[in-house]
Amino acid sequence: AGRYPDSALAQYILGSAYAKLGFFPDAATAFHEAIKLKPDYIDAWFNLGWADTQSGKLTEAAGVFQQLIKLAPDDPQVWDNLGGVYAGQGHQAEAIGAYKKAIELKPDFADAYFKVGAAYAGQGQYPEAVNAFRMALKNKPEYPDAWFNLGVVSELQKEHNEAVLFFTQSLKQRPNYAEAWGGLVRAYLNLHQTDKAGEAAREMKKIDPVKANQLAEELSREAPAPISLDTK
């Protein structure tokens, strides 16, 4: 980059290298330099927004993705990332709007359906959340986190038999999913099926003793299960 100071590509590659090492502020600086040299450099804008997000600079990231939308208004991934920034800021209504725009542009966008479902669940809009998670699964049936979230929402609505079915389906796809085993513990306890709850608790402890102990503490305080935000 020093040898070719007028090369936006050199700055972009430098930023990408920093990002791979986890040096996100340095990566952001390089991406800024690339954009100065080439203002319509879409990939540099996109990676700048990502680097700012990873650095916890959500206000800056939101501004970057808003600017990027002007350059690439029909890119569903840009809208999805903007939704993620809004969600990180706690602006769930704005996040839902951005995710919906991503889905409008890409109707089979399973991850965007998943994220809008999580946003709805965070607002207590459980029927809307269920519909969104089901749409995620329609487009990506092998999606253990979507099955898990359906289980959580069922639990929140006191639909414990359904929760068992959803957590079980999640575990079929990811047998080492400690949180889903924990969901089964909760659901079976609510159904007064203590033997099955114990079996699930033992499986959870084999996989992740720390999370199993945390669950025991949560159950003593009757804390609600968390919605998963994982799109892997």
Side-chain angles (χ1 to χ4, degrees):
R3 185 172 180 180
Y4 302 100
D6 296 326
S7 172
L9 177 60
Q11 291 290 344
Y12 176 80
I13 293 171
L14 176 61
S16 299
Y18 276 133
K20 287 181 180 179
L21 291 170
F23 301 154
F24 298 112
D26 295 308
T29 298
F31 293 134
H32 270 295
E33 290 301 317
I35 290 166
K36 284 182 185 178
L37 293 164
K38 186 179 178 183
D40 62 348
Y41 201 156
I42 289 176
D43 286 343
W45 278 105
F46 191 93
N47 281 281
L48 173 59
W50 178 75
D52 282 340
T53 301
Q54 294 300 310
S55 298
K57 297 180 178 179
L58 298 183
T59 300
E60 291 86 342
V64 169
F65 286 120
Q66 288 163 354
Q67 180 62 35
L68 185 51
I69 283 169
K70 296 177 183 179
L71 297 172
D74 297 326
D75 188 332
Q77 193 62 58
V78 175
W79 286 99
D80 179 71
N81 280 35
L82 179 60
V85 172
Y86 284 146
Q89 292 176 309
H91 302 157
Q92 299 297 347
E94 290 85 350
I96 289 169
Y99 292 139
K100 283 186 172 180
K101 182 64 178 179
I103 291 166
E104 178 186 325
L105 293 166
K106 185 181 178 183
D108 63 347
F109 200 162
D111 287 349
Y113 279 115
F114 175 87
K115 293 173 188 176
V116 80
Y120 275 132
Q123 294 194 136
Q125 296 176 256
Y126 300 135
E128 292 85 352
V130 167
N131 288 338
F133 292 137
R134 289 190 180 279
M135 286 301 298
L137 288 164
K138 179 180 179 181
N139 290 286
K140 185 179 175 183
E142 298 294 318
Y143 206 153
D145 288 296
W147 287 109
F148 172 81
N149 277 357
L150 279 174
V152 173
V153 172
S154 296
E155 178 186 351
L156 291 168
Q157 296 184 104
K158 312 296 184 185
E159 298 169 348
H160 303 301
N161 283 307
E162 288 81 357
V164 168
L165 294 175
F166 294 136
F167 289 134
T168 300
Q169 186 63 40
S170 179
L171 286 163
K172 286 181 180 178
Q173 297 177 3
R174 189 189 297 168
N176 64 343
Y177 197 164
E179 290 83 356
W181 283 110
L184 273 182
V185 173
R186 292 176 183 275
Y188 282 135
L189 286 175
N190 282 308
L191 292 169
H192 307 292
Q193 298 180 20
T194 54
D195 289 345
K196 290 183 177 180
E199 291 174 9
R202 286 189 289 275
E203 289 297 325
M204 184 182 187
K205 196 159 189 175
K206 290 178 188 176
I207 295 165
D208 195 323
V210 173
K211 288 180 180 177
N213 290 332
Q214 289 173 345
L215 175 63
E217 292 179 9
E218 291 169 2
L219 290 172
S220 70
R221 293 182 281 108
E222 297 185 354
I227 286 286
S228 170
L229 301 178
D230 192 355
T231 58
K232 293 180 181 177

